[in-house]
Amino acid sequence: MSDLTLAVSEAGVNDIVSTLLDPSVARVQAAPRYDSGAFAVEADIDAHFEHGPTLIDFRDTPDQVKLDELDIVWDTFDLDFELDISELCIGGFCLTPGWFGDCIRAPEKCFFSSDPDVELTLALDWIRSEVSVLADLLVGYSTSRTTDYLQAQVDEHEALEALEAAGESGPVDPPLVNTWDVSLHPDTFDIDIFDTADMIADIVQDLLDRIIDMLVGVLPDWAIDVLESLAGSLVRFLRDALDIGDDLAEWLSDIIGVSLDVPGIILEILDDYLIDYPVFRIEDPYPVLDWSPPLGSPTTGGDPRLIPVKVPIEELDIDLQETEVVLTASIGAYQ
């Protein structure tokens, strides 16, 4: 039998989760790197989440919450490519034997002696990505870091007053008292970095065009002719150097999705964030009566107060329905 029952509508939970995912708090920041030796790429990513007025949808069978069409807005999404092309030397062959066993050699010209030979940044902060999440609502229990529970209540109260004085609202994070936490625990994800495959192919083609322009600007015509004779064309030479197959879209998708694992980074950060910031945080013992007003006289300098009246919560259960989530609590000491 439950002693306390609380029902929160889907719209109410939607407002809470929308606040949790505020761009000023929830961010994706990372700098993964992939290096295959001759070819390396490093990502510099900084993103926040945006969404429409309706973010969540309750699912009753099974009991899950869907975060639908959560947009990932890239404030920074740079791919820094480094290409180390095998050194190519022309000339240097022996023209005629010398008097002492050596030879007179033709002039030698070497290309691609630097490491890396090509450095190029591909800015993708203009794209817009999307993630959908199916999550479970899980109940957890957080224990205070102190064994002085009375002092913990005083500290929590003072911390809340400090937040109020600063124009902010609670709860105190991390909590200074024990709490029952109801958190979203992501179960399955669906993330789309790009809208269409055609968009990806255009991006890769632009990257190849920029590298070709760079090479044409520094290499003489005869050196370009040599490269084309080796690979069939300058484009094919670059495709081989970058290990690009026939499918341009698949290559860039593999770089971002597999080599750099950008989707995995986003999902891990979102997962950790939703666990760290619960949808509901219920103080245990639960305050039935709050702190009393000051009892002392301002002229005496005293400001005593009566501490809150609280009841312990032994168990907390949740029931997710189509239009609301119902929390039921049993009074008693939590073991």
Side-chain angles (χ1 to χ4, degrees):
M1 177 179 177
S2 63
D3 299 298
L4 296 173
T5 301
L6 173 67
V8 183
S9 68
E10 183 181 69
V13 175
N14 185 85
D15 291 342
I16 295 172
V17 176
S18 297
T19 302
L20 291 176
L21 294 176
D22 185 272
S24 64
V25 180
R27 302 196 68 84
V28 177
Q29 295 174 320
R33 180 179 175 85
Y34 168 74
D35 194 337
S36 65
F39 164 63
V41 58
E42 181 172 340
D44 179 15
I45 58 178
D46 181 6
H48 65 272
F49 299 103
E50 291 185 2
H51 51 82
T54 303
L55 172 62
I56 66 168
D57 179 28
F58 285 173
R59 304 293 178 90
D60 192 26
T61 51
D63 289 350
Q64 287 188 313
V65 178
K66 184 177 183 182
L67 280 70
D68 198 18
E69 297 185 358
L70 181 61
D71 290 333
I72 304 170
V73 180
W74 302 97
D75 301 295
T76 303
F77 192 172
D78 291 340
L79 295 182
D80 298 321
F81 290 89
E82 298 177 357
L83 181 59
D84 185 19
I85 304 173
S86 299
E87 186 178 49
L88 175 65
C89 294
I90 307 297
F93 51 85
C94 184
L95 292 175
T96 181
W99 291 101
F100 303 101
D102 56 353
C103 67
I104 300 174
R105 296 185 174 276
E108 183 181 54
K109 181 65 174 179
C110 293
F111 301 95
F112 309 123
S113 303
S114 303
D115 184 14
D117 299 290
V118 176
E119 293 180 280
L120 198 63
T121 297
L122 186 62
L124 300 177
D125 53 2
W126 52 272
I127 69 172
R128 200 173 181 95
S129 305
E130 186 177 288
V131 59
S132 295
V133 181
L134 275 177
D136 301 313
L137 272 178
L138 299 183
V139 176
Y141 193 81
S142 299
T143 305
S144 169
R145 295 167 294 175
T146 178
T147 56
D148 188 343
Y149 302 113
L150 181 58
Q151 185 60 47
Q153 294 175 21
V154 174
D155 293 343
E156 178 88 2
H157 175 69
E158 291 178 348
L160 287 171
E161 284 191 330
L163 286 174
E164 184 178 353
E168 302 178 12
S169 59
V172 178
D173 184 49
L176 302 178
V177 295
N178 295 348
T179 59
W180 286 93
D181 300 331
V182 179
S183 303
L184 285 170
H185 181 72
D187 181 30
T188 59
F189 298 92
D190 181 23
I191 183 167
D192 294 319
I193 298 294
F194 299 97
D195 289 340
T196 64
D198 290 341
M199 175 192 293
I200 312 175
D202 291 341
I203 292 172
V204 178
Q205 187 60 57
D206 176 66
L207 175 67
L208 291 175
D209 291 343
R210 290 170 61 188
I211 296 178
I212 290 175
D213 291 342
M214 183 181 298
L215 293 179
V216 169
V218 298
L219 295 178
D221 293 341
W222 59 267
I224 295 177
D225 292 339
V226 171
L227 293 178
E228 291 181 338
S229 67
L230 293 174
S233 69
L234 197 54
V235 173
R236 174 51 58 185
F237 172 78
L238 288 177
R239 280 178 174 247
D240 293 342
L242 292 169
D243 196 21
I244 300 177
D246 295 330
D247 193 327
L248 300 180
E250 182 180 358
W251 176 78
L252 187 58
S253 295
D254 286 345
I255 290 293
I256 295 175
V258 179
S259 302
L260 296 175
D261 194 23
V262 172
I265 292 172
I266 295 172
L267 301 182
E268 181 179 359
I269 291 176
L270 183 60
D271 191 0
D272 292 343
Y273 182 82
L274 292 176
I275 292 295
D276 291 341
Y277 293 90
V279 179
F280 304 112
R281 175 169 281 167
I282 302 173
E283 185 177 332
D284 182 38
Y286 182 75
V288 179
L289 293 177
D290 203 354
W291 291 76
S292 72
L295 302 177
S297 171
T299 59
T300 63
D303 191 20
R305 295 187 177 196
L306 296 178
I307 65 173
V309 177
K310 299 189 175 186
V311 294
I313 299 177
E314 181 181 14
E315 187 177 5
L316 182 68
D317 294 314
I318 57 174
D319 179 21
L320 185 64
Q321 303 174 8
E322 289 188 0
T323 59
E324 64 182 10
V325 57
V326 180
L327 289 75
T328 56
S330 300
I331 302 302
Y334 172 71
Q335 303 295 326

